[in-house]
Amino acid sequence: MSTGLVAPTVSAPAAARGTTPDRAVRLEGVSKVYGTGDRAQLVLDSIDMRVAPGEFVCLLGASGCGKSTLLNLVAGLDRPSAGDVTVAGGRPALMFQDHALFPWLSAGRNIELALRLAGVPREERRDRAEELLELVRLPGAHRKRVHQLSGGMRQRVALARSLAQGSGILLMDEPFAALDAITRDLLHEELSRVWRERRLTVLFVTHNVREAVRLGQRVVLLSSRPGRVAREWNVDLPFPRRIEDSGVSALATEITGHLHEEIVRHARA
Ligand SMILES: Nc1ncnc2c1ncn2[C@@H]1O[C@H](COP(=O)(O)OP(=O)(O)O)[C@@H](O)[C@H]1O
Ligand SMILES: [Mg+2]
């Protein structure tokens, strides 16, 4: 497919997209320092991390521990002070808490713009935008202006626009943090479905433990000041999952214990 919307799987299609079969994202010895001299702050310290093609990894940590910094490095928006960041198959798509849609464009036009930037020919853009709106369950929203949409609908459009960028790798920085619990739950369902249908590779940042366990195949916990990989868990729970599943809440309880330890340790440091 010329848009590249079909993301890599672990087998042949991954190679066809130019991604190596074993990893879509790799961080090796990545450190990030902000400021210089007395004001230098080590935010990330020797991070080693891999995300396999088609994998959904949640990066979890307390506020200020460096999650957004790490995601920005993977997105290529910033450079590490040390170490290497490798991303297979070009620039990944990014989605933030703030939908960042252009308010003067309709929902459909926002998506079409991303398609245009991804090199999709003009005559295909309208249909592709409609398809993407259907994928995020917003059929008929093409002409709606951003101010006419609810917060949840805006994030659906933002997800569709991210997919329109044509990358198989989606980086998400607390995209649902501003939504109410019910809307967030629906968006979790949609994201999880879209990830499986499109075989995307997702690196999802959150400070919400349940969200991480509900969505991720793997949860990586970052410590604070400096941010280091404190621990990680494989989430061997079947999909589709629900936030209230007993397996989700049991693992979330365990991980919350470790997150609290990190926060307390940091407060004492
Ligand atoms: N551009 C920047 N310049 C200086 N300090 C920054 C910059 N971006 C982030 N920081 C600092 O780095 C730390 C980690 O920030 P951030 O990555 O945003 O954390 P998180 O996303 O986990 O809440 C914070 O102490 C923050 O103040
Ligand atoms: Mg952040």
Side-chain angles (χ1 to χ4, degrees):
M1 221 166 130
S2 62
T3 55
L5 282 171
V6 178
T9 61
V10 183
S11 56
R17 284 179 49 85
T19 49
T20 48
D22 61 333
R23 60 186 131 66
V25 175
R26 188 183 63 180
L27 290 90
E28 275 185 311
V30 167
S31 297
K32 181 69 185 173
V33 178
Y34 282 122
T36 51
D38 290 350
R39 299 223 175 138
Q41 185 196 352
L42 179 63
V43 174
L44 296 175
D45 185 21
S46 306
I47 305 273
D48 291 315
M49 209 176 129
R50 278 169 173 66
V51 183
E55 196 180 16
F56 197 128
V57 174
C58 290
L59 186 66
L60 177 72
S63 283
C65 77
K67 303 182 294 298
S68 296
T69 300
L70 190 152
L71 211 67
N72 289 343
L73 295 176
V74 177
L77 299 175
D78 203 353
R79 284 162 173 251
S81 309
D84 289 311
V85 177
T86 330
V87 180
R91 214 170 232 289
L94 254 180
M95 185 175 161
F96 303 101
Q97 180 173 330
D98 174 357
H99 57 77
L101 297 168
F102 294 121
W104 60 87
L105 295 178
S106 68
R109 291 277 182 216
N110 266 284
I111 297 168
E112 286 180 30
L113 179 60
L115 290 167
R116 186 176 130 201
L117 296 172
V120 174
R122 176 194 284 267
E123 62 277 10
E124 291 178 26
R125 285 181 216 146
R126 171 86 197 202
D127 286 351
R128 288 282 170 80
E130 295 282 4
E131 273 171 33
L132 286 166
L133 282 168
E134 272 172 36
L135 181 71
V136 298
R137 304 226 157 117
L138 275 184
H142 199 286
R143 284 160 187 250
K144 291 256 165 56
R145 296 287 290 274
V146 174
H147 71 268
Q148 294 176 299
L149 303 171
S150 67
M153 289 162 120
R154 288 175 196 180
Q155 288 309 74
R156 285 173 194 257
V157 177
L159 175 59
R161 188 188 49 178
S162 301
L163 298 173
Q165 291 173 36
S167 171
I169 302 177
L170 184 55
L171 309 177
M172 309 184 86
D173 195 350
E174 314 220 26
F176 309 137
L179 301 176
D180 63 81
I182 293 171
T183 309
R184 188 162 57 233
D185 194 40
L186 280 172
L187 267 291
H188 285 159
E189 214 169 292
E190 307 296 14
L191 172 63
S192 199
R193 176 182 55 80
V194 169
W195 161 64
R196 281 174 283 135
E197 277 181 28
R198 299 270 164 155
R199 294 177 182 160
L200 299 168
T201 304
V202 182
L203 182 54
F204 186 103
V205 157
T206 182
H207 62 266
N208 181 325
V209 184
R210 277 215 180 209
E211 176 170 72
V213 176
R214 189 233 179 281
L215 290 172
Q217 293 173 300
R218 195 148 59 84
V219 176
V220 177
L221 177 65
L222 272 196
S223 64
S224 298
R225 293 187 188 225
R228 292 188 180 123
V229 175
R231 218 182 142 126
E232 64 174 72
W233 289 262
N234 287 318
V235 187
D236 293 321
L237 299 168
F239 291 97
R241 297 176 189 157
R242 302 209 52 89
I243 200 113
E244 63 273 12
D245 286 346
S246 58
V248 170
S249 63
L251 184 55
T253 304
E254 182 191 329
I255 296 178
T256 300
H258 288 273
L259 181 59
H260 281 175
E261 268 173 40
E262 283 303 323
I263 293 169
V264 169
R265 196 184 52 73
H266 173 219
R268 287 203 192 110

